[in-house]
Amino acid sequence: MRYVFITGTSRGLGNALLEMFQEDRIISISRSEVETDYPLHKIFHIDFLDEGRLEQSVDEIFSSIDPESGDEIFLINNAGIVDPVKSVANIDAESFLNNYKVNVLAPALFMKGFVNHFKDHQGAKRILTVSSGAALNPIEGWAAYCSSKAAVNMVSDVLRLEMDRLKYPIFSATFRPGVIDTDMQEEIRASEEEDFPDVARFQKYKETNKLYNKKTVAYVLKRVITSDNFAFSESFSISDFL
Ligand SMILES: NC(=O)c1ccc[n+]([C@@H]2O[C@H](COP(=O)([O-])OP(=O)(O)OC[C@H]3O[C@@H](n4cnc5c(N)ncnc54)[C@H](OP(=O)(O)O)[C@@H]3O)[C@@H](O)[C@H]2O)c1
């Protein structure tokens, strides 16, 4: 039996993942209500902007399963925000911080909880954090997003090193999913050109059907996390699969 912890299941890629893992025991972690036709083993609601509550809830979330009854345990850090889309000169402290809470701190706290709860468990244990090509390439107007995804990549990479010391290893990697047709892209397309000079390129992606369907991306993500090669790479890209 496989347990799969997934964050950001209310919309977008996270919601599509519920179908992909329908045969497994899904522990759904979201801020908003989740609408789905697929069974959820456990449901937790948390706003990642409330880092105090998040830190407390992480223990409760990982204690909610009995690891001995599962032979595989996965964590998919999927929830993320692109906001604030503005030039560095115009981003206030709170907006920077909120982005980092959702995109860096929350996945880091989930990694911490996962390691502390399951390090002695002998089954397969894998963490996949949804990152972005924006972690590797600077994009005007996306300082918070680019830097947050670069930071979470590094948290995952450091964790990989630390996991070498465990008797029963936990493998951690990141995944670049390409440009997906979700609310996040809608938000990006609605940006003002003065905040995001490249907005026309993203509007064109939609007009010319260049966006990946979220189900396709969810399918590839499942292939990544279940792959025999998962342990051997710190990062995966959808372009390696499609
Ligand atoms: N879409 C793309 O083109 C694209 C490209 C590269 C990488 N990604 C990455 O892929 C992942 C999924 O993105 P998506 O396109 O599916 O985004 P989305 O449709 O905008 O969904 C974002 C998810 O994150 C959750 N979330 C946002 N703020 C939260 C908070 N404060 N606390 C808890 N949950 C929160 C949302 O919950 P609510 O419903 O409660 O807001 C929602 O479930 C993200 O990590 C994103 O950075 C996306």
Side-chain angles (χ1 to χ4, degrees):
M1 189 200 305
R2 183 193 284 151
Y3 289 103
V4 188
F5 293 82
I6 310 175
T7 69
T9 45
S10 55
R11 294 187 282 133
L13 176 60
N15 195 260
L17 287 169
L18 301 179
E19 181 181 353
M20 283 307 136
F21 290 97
Q22 61 180 287
E23 280 159 20
D24 302 317
R25 293 198 165 176
I26 295 174
I27 299 89
S28 162
I29 305 154
S30 67
R31 174 173 58 179
S32 310
E33 289 297 318
V34 178
E35 280 182 32
T36 180
D37 295 332
Y38 304 100
L40 301 178
H41 181 62
K42 304 271 176 184
I43 300 171
F44 293 93
H45 290 295
I46 311 167
D47 183 347
F48 296 174
L49 295 180
D50 184 349
E51 70 277 14
R53 203 184 141 231
L54 176 62
E55 195 166 23
Q56 284 171 359
S57 305
V58 162
D59 269 344
E60 190 194 339
I61 291 168
F62 291 114
S63 305
S64 72
I65 67 156
D66 170 16
E68 296 316 317
S69 64
D71 43 18
E72 285 183 303
I73 312 176
F74 293 170
L75 164 63
I76 302 171
N77 278 314
N78 160 76
I81 55 172
V82 69
D83 255 5
V85 175
K86 284 177 190 307
S87 58
V88 173
N90 292 322
I91 304 178
D92 57 54
E94 190 182 6
S95 305
F96 252 124
L97 202 55
N98 285 350
N99 184 292
Y100 291 168
K101 282 184 186 179
V102 179
N103 290 359
V104 188
L105 183 61
L109 290 176
F110 283 113
M111 290 180 203
K112 175 185 172 186
F114 188 93
V115 170
N116 285 329
H117 277 80
F118 305 133
K119 60 179 182 301
D120 297 326
H121 177 62
Q122 296 184 28
K125 295 162 292 182
R126 296 178 172 188
I127 299 172
L128 187 60
T129 299
V130 181
S131 184
S132 168
L136 310 177
N137 302 299
I139 298 170
E140 279 184 84
W142 289 15
Y145 187 68
C146 291
S147 58
S148 68
K149 291 298 189 180
V152 82
N153 280 359
M154 194 48 94
V155 177
S156 173
D157 290 353
V158 170
L159 186 70
R160 278 176 74 81
L161 284 183
E162 294 173 355
M163 294 300 93
D164 281 351
R165 297 181 190 282
L166 289 187
K167 192 166 166 202
Y168 307 114
I170 294 174
F171 296 110
S172 176
T174 56
F175 174 58
R176 299 189 300 283
V179 186
I180 325 165
D181 198 1
T182 63
D183 294 348
M184 183 177 281
Q185 283 298 325
E186 211 173 305
E187 226 176 288
I188 290 167
R189 288 193 299 275
S191 306
E192 298 294 332
E193 202 182 335
E194 65 177 79
D195 294 326
F196 178 36
D198 218 7
V199 63
R201 180 159 62 97
F202 282 75
Q203 289 165 345
K204 192 124 196 173
Y205 287 155
K206 179 69 176 173
E207 284 159 24
T208 56
N209 278 326
K210 291 277 162 39
L211 303 177
Y212 287 125
N213 183 289
K214 61 185 179 180
K215 283 192 184 191
T216 308
V217 180
Y219 169 79
V220 173
L221 188 152
K222 185 177 180 185
R223 278 188 60 193
V224 168
I225 199 168
T226 55
S227 149
D228 290 344
N229 294 325
F230 187 80
F232 302 117
S233 183
E234 76 275 8
S235 73
F236 296 86
S237 168
I238 195 162
S239 57
D240 301 333
F241 293 81
L242 294 179

